């Protein structure tokens, strides 16, 4: 069982960081569509997916 102060700190942190991660996901997806080269597009797509994974993990952690 975790200390209540720790749990509250984690909740505050995740509440503040999750929207930023989602914005990064959206931004990488948008920028990736603008590149002409395949390499840069794929790199942005992979980074976008990674940011989305972070958001999903954080939201899942908050649900507990």
């Amino acid at each position: 069982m975790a200390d209540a102060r720790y749990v509250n700190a984690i909740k505050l942190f995740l509440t503040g960081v999750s929207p930023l991660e989602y914005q990064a996901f959206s931004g990488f997806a948008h920028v990736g569509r603008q590149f002409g080269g395949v390499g840069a597009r794929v790199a942005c797509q992979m980074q976008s997916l990674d940011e989305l994974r972070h958001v999903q993990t954080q939201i899942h952690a908050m649900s507990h």
Side-chain angles (χ1 to χ4, degrees), residues 15-55:
T15 302
V17 170
S18 294
L20 299 174
E21 296 272 7
Y22 186 79
Q23 196 68 17
F25 148 72
S26 180
F28 276 115
H30 179 73
V31 168
R33 288 187 216 106
Q34 307 306 316
F35 282 121
V38 175
R41 288 182 136 195
V42 170
C44 281
Q45 179 186 19
M46 294 300 128
Q47 187 63 39
S48 177
L49 289 171
D50 187 50
E51 297 298 336
L52 182 60
R53 182 182 57 83
H54 292 163
V55 172

